[in-house]
Amino acid sequence: MNLVARQFQFVGQRLAPVSLCLFMALATGLGWSAAQDDLLSELTLEQRVAQLFIVNLYGGQMTEAGRDFLRDYQPGGVVLLGDNLGDPAAITRLTNQYQQTIAEAGGIPLLIAVDQEGGPISHLREGFTTFPTPALMTAAGDADLAYRVGQAMGRELRAVGVNMNLAPVADLETNRNNPIITRRSFGSDPQQVSAALGPFIEGMQAEGVLATAKHFPGHGDSADDSHTTLPVIDLSRERLETVELIPFKAAIEAGVSTVMAAHIWYPALEAEANRPASLSAAILSDLLREEMGFDGLIMTDALDMDAIDTVYSYPSAVLAAVQAGADVVIAAHIGLNAQMAAINAVAEAVRRGEIAEARIDESARRVLAAKAAFGVLDWQPLAVGEAAARLDLAGHEALVQELFDAGVTIARDVGGVLPLRDDTAVAMIYPATRTQIMRECSPYSVAVQWVGVSGSPSETEIAWAVDAARRQDVAVVFTQNAETDRAQQALVRALPPEKTVVVALWSPYDWLAFPQVAGYMVTYSPLNAAVPAACKVLFGAVESEARLSIALDGITGG
């Protein structure tokens, strides 16, 4: 398939990485649409259909079955999951194997995708930067910082041969009981989230990595997990347009390459009962494509999630998604035989006239355009031994610290307790396992009485803390998910609220267990970089300009 490299060489070298929407516009004006048609005409129907599939190949090394599948079926992409992962060298070796296999078969280079959101969902861990939960970016309120975080994440992915990120989450954290979006979202307010989301996408795509805004048209208000059941979000059309859809509009304006659809039924948008957005023409084709003007790739969420696979067979789900307007279907744990069956099922549906061939060509052309725009078609193997050096971990560690310094938020300050004054006598109550807290905060004041307690403090430890707080001007308590730990709640409630400051090292919702405290600070993420940032803000070494990005019972931040 040398025709691919020849026809798209200029685009890959000169235009990448531009937004997919911009590329599509340029392609039409420069005649690249004709080049895509020439390429499509050389592909069999099955090869065109296969470009719509992102599949998983099991194992940390190329297996014989995986090699045969790539050679024979030539899917559009591969997603990396837990059993594929390792250190940067191992992942580089694996992505090289995938792409080399396709190249030797004369096929089209692959999209290679991974879930790397930052925070809890970060599949690349060993030897990679640990990025904090995205809400910290929103709290910082710095578009340039958000851009650089996206850029850094994109650079690390591209360094190991990954060219597509199944992130960012564009869902709003509007339901604190949401079992799947909480702690993954950029925040609660659509405008505040959009201001960080757009630059983050632009930064990632500037490094040649396709970004994916998910889960359209918004998973944030669900109380159910689509991995186990079909959620229903019964909000009005007006509410969806003025809240949930706003971050997706910002993502589209930022040139996001891909939008992933949710396995959720929205009665205000889809009249057929229990028809998920991922299989809904009204949502994918009418709303996203036509009304919102999105010209990039529409992708389903994984079609083996229980919201789908308890109702549909995999081939029937794929057919429904393609008919609804999806350009890319993805599955996490579907075997290769089932993938073959699904590709064949779509091709047979075209031959029977159930799906127009033009519908397949439309999506295949979009996939090829995305690969061209982001330099995928110009794939070259990466040096495995240089993988770690390409990541710039030291630079990204400094960036994460900068993000915490800007994002740690004073959410509540009654009576001007914060920042702590030089002459303030402080009882500092902290999890004793986190000795870093004493090390980082000690240089700012000598007037501190340190009280180390257990993660779930005993009655004796609580008594120590109460005694220390009684003797000092202010009591500062570091909590870790106190919202679900009654012992931590008992400790804070035992302290005099008028002179107690809580520093929440993970869940921003800890405050709801003790809303009468005088001061409340949020770090959003429990990484080590949160501690020096919290100490700086506590003692006024850094003046916090951050705004609370997660709504807590009406509090909007300091």
Side-chain angles (χ1 to χ4, degrees), residues 34-354:
Q36 293 168 31
D37 287 339
D38 288 344
L39 175 57
L40 285 173
S41 69
E42 293 199 0
L43 301 179
T44 67
L45 176 59
E46 282 77 10
Q47 287 174 319
R48 281 175 279 157
V49 168
Q51 284 299 302
L52 281 59
F53 283 72
I54 292 182
V55 306
N56 174 242
L57 305 177
Y58 296 104
Q61 298 183 31
M62 175 71 79
T63 64
E64 195 62 37
R67 183 175 289 106
D68 290 344
F69 177 80
L70 288 181
R71 287 173 174 170
D72 295 343
Y73 280 83
Q74 300 177 11
V78 173
V79 60
L80 301 180
L81 300 176
D83 66 345
N84 304 123
L85 304 180
D87 63 19
I91 295 173
T92 303
R93 186 178 299 110
L94 184 62
T95 59
N96 277 347
Q97 290 173 348
Y98 289 163
Q99 298 285 26
Q100 192 65 47
T101 300
I102 282 286
E104 290 172 355
I108 297 170
L110 297 159
L111 294 172
I112 299 182
V114 75
D115 275 292
Q116 193 76 350
E117 299 173 5
I121 308 298
S122 299
H123 286 179
L124 302 185
R125 294 184 180 273
E126 182 183 356
F128 292 85
T129 299
T130 301
F131 290 95
T133 186
L136 186 64
M137 268 185 285
T138 303
D142 185 329
D144 178 68
L145 192 52
Y147 180 94
R148 287 188 286 132
V149 173
Q151 193 175 34
M153 193 177 291
R155 185 174 297 126
E156 293 197 8
L157 296 180
R158 197 75 190 207
V160 296
V162 176
N163 51 40
M164 184 179 212
N165 194 1
L166 303 179
V169 168
D171 309 309
L172 297 169
E173 193 160 323
T174 53
N175 181 350
R176 66 178 293 260
N177 296 316
N178 190 311
I180 192 64
I181 299 303
T182 299
R183 303 191 183 189
R184 296 168 62 193
S185 171
F186 274 68
S188 305
D189 180 84
Q191 302 299 336
Q192 192 182 1
V193 164
S194 296
L197 187 75
F200 175 81
I201 289 168
E202 291 171 352
M204 181 173 296
Q205 296 195 158
E207 292 298 317
V209 174
L210 288 76
T212 306
K214 61 185 184 184
H215 307 79
F216 186 82
H219 205 318
D221 209 61
S222 168
D224 296 310
D225 181 355
S226 53
H227 290 85
T228 59
T229 190
L230 178 67
V232 179
I233 294 184
D234 195 7
L235 298 173
S236 69
R237 175 70 182 254
E238 179 183 8
R239 156 62 190 258
L240 292 167
E241 289 183 346
T242 56
V243 179
E244 277 73 15
L245 292 182
I246 297 299
F248 289 98
K249 291 177 180 177
I252 293 170
E253 289 174 3
V256 72
S257 75
T258 309
V259 172
M260 178 185 287
H263 299 322
I264 298 177
W265 178 39
Y266 302 81
L269 303 176
E270 169 56 62
E272 182 180 338
N274 298 319
R275 169 69 67 170
S278 53
L279 309 183
S280 167
I283 293 174
L284 301 189
S285 295
D286 298 343
L287 175 59
L288 180 56
R289 187 70 78 200
E290 297 300 326
E291 292 184 40
M292 297 177 67
F294 178 59
D295 289 330
L297 298 176
I298 297 177
M299 175 190 287
T300 68
D301 206 345
L303 291 177
D304 54 327
M305 293 162 60
D306 284 353
I308 299 296
D309 69 7
T310 56
V311 179
Y312 303 86
S313 69
Y314 181 58
S316 65
V318 169
L319 287 169
V322 173
Q323 289 170 324
D327 301 301
V328 177
V329 296
I330 188 169
H333 302 290
I334 295 292
L336 297 182
N337 287 336
Q339 296 286 5
M340 297 176 199
I343 292 170
N344 291 331
V346 175
E348 287 303 315
V350 172
R351 292 190 176 97
R352 291 193 304 269
E354 295 176 14

Side-chain angles (χ1 to χ4, degrees), residues 497-522:
E498 71 279 1
K499 62 176 183 178
T500 296
V501 174
V502 173
V503 180
L505 287 174
W506 201 173
S507 172
Y509 297 113
D510 286 0
W511 172 82
L512 296 174
F514 26 75
Q516 301 306 316
V517 295
Y520 186 60
M521 287 174 48
V522 180

